[in-house]
């Protein structure tokens, strides 16, 4: 059986420089997805023209920059990650090849073989965030799982996280003792009764 070998990480996109190449429907989808989780993400979107809703998002988010030009190699300078989602496969492949030469992580929309990462389903409840991956096989399944978790995770889970964080600050002892105490307190979360 094939296994998902992707390594999940949570990026601070307000500290990174993201480039999106493509200003159409897919560019809108990618930008919206990033901003839903990271409303202060530093993103530059490059395209000869932009979907109207991308312009609206850029007006609402000062950290978004729109550059109305065709993609040029120099646009990859000082980037951490790249998303290419133009309707021109040659441009997307060129972005990927150039990004790889610069050791930039890159996602080419709807082309799993040209992706270093995927934008999976995300559930957010305050400080709690769950990422869902189907290894690029079924975005629809990730969407349905996201909807399920959004429904079953209580809205007040953030209060529990805040309370446990405050309690954790009061604990004395070494790391091992603190972990043991926190495990005792949170053990009821996995109780199957």
């Amino acid at each position: 059986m094939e296994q998902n070998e992707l390594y999940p990480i949570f990026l601070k996109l307000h500290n990174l420089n993201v480039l999106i190449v493509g200003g159409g429907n897919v560019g809108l989808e990618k930008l919206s997805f990033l901003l839903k989780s990271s409303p202060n993400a530093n993103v530059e979107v490059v395209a000869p023209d932009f979907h109207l809703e991308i312009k609206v998002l850029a007006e609402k988010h000062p950290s978004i920059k729109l550059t109305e030009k065709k993609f040029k190699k120099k646009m990859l300078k000082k980037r951490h990650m790249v998303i290419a989602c133009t309707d021109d496969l040659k441009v997307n492949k060129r972005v990927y090849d150039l990004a790889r030469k610069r050791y930039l992580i890159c996602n080419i929309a709807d082309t799993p073989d040209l992706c270093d990462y995927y934008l999976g389903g995300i559930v957010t409840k305050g400080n709690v965030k769950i990422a869902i991956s189907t290894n690029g096989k079924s975005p629809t399944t990730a969407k349905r799982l996201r909807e399920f978790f959004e429904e079953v995770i209580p809205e007040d889970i953030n209060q529990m996280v805040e309370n446990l964080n405050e309690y954790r600050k009061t604990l004395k002892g070494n790391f091992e003792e603190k972990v043991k105490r926190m495990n005792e307190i949170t053990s009821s979360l996995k109780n199957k009764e």
Side-chain angles (χ1 to χ4, degrees), residues 55-73:
K55 293 178 181 180
V56 170
L57 281 174
E59 287 176 17
K60 291 180 185 175
H61 297 270
S63 62
I64 303 304
K65 178 183 177 188
L66 301 183
T67 301
E68 204 166 314
K69 294 181 179 177
K70 288 185 176 184
F71 171 77
K72 302 281 186 224
K73 178 168 78 170

Side-chain angles (χ1 to χ4, degrees), residues 82-127:
V82 181
I83 298 170
C85 47
T86 73
D87 56 6
D88 185 332
L89 297 175
K90 287 181 183 177
V91 171
N92 290 346
K93 176 75 167 96
R94 181 168 174 259
V95 170
Y96 178 79
D97 291 339
L98 291 168
R100 297 293 293 166
K101 285 180 183 175
R102 287 168 176 75
Y103 300 98
L104 300 173
I105 60 172
C106 190
N107 174 288
I108 305 302
D110 297 323
T111 315
D113 290 345
L114 301 181
C115 290
D116 299 314
Y117 62 94
Y118 301 125
L119 304 173
I122 296 176
V123 178
T124 304
K125 299 272 181 149
N127 287 299

Side-chain angles (χ1 to χ4, degrees), residues 127 159-183 185-186:
N127 287 299
Q159 186 60 51
M160 180 191 73
V161 170
E162 293 286 353
N163 292 343
L164 286 170
N165 182 49
E166 289 303 314
Y167 177 72
R168 187 181 74 163
K169 292 176 186 176
T170 68
L171 293 177
K172 305 287 185 240
N174 65 27
F175 178 76
E176 203 171 292
E177 291 165 341
K178 291 178 182 180
V179 168
K180 181 181 176 198
R181 186 67 191 127
M182 291 302 290
N183 282 338
I185 289 172
T186 59

Side-chain angles (χ1 to χ4, degrees), residues 1-6 135 137:
M1 180 171 88
E2 185 179 356
Q3 184 171 334
N4 187 332
E5 295 184 6
L6 299 173
N135 209 19
K137 303 284 186 198

Side-chain angles (χ1 to χ4, degrees), residues 46-57:
V46 173
D49 50 74
F50 298 100
H51 190 292
L52 178 61
E53 288 182 52
I54 289 177
K55 293 178 181 180
V56 170
L57 281 174

Side-chain angles (χ1 to χ4, degrees), residues 114-157:
L114 301 181
C115 290
D116 299 314
Y117 62 94
Y118 301 125
L119 304 173
I122 296 176
V123 178
T124 304
K125 299 272 181 149
N127 287 299
V128 175
K129 188 168 282 197
I130 299 170
I132 303 162
S133 167
T134 60
N135 209 19
K137 303 284 186 198
S138 177
T140 302
T141 300
K143 176 183 175 183
R144 294 296 175 235
L145 286 169
R146 176 184 53 79
E147 291 168 347
F148 170 76
F149 284 120
E150 284 174 341
E151 193 174 304
V152 298
I153 296 172
E155 291 298 326
D156 64 351
I157 195 166

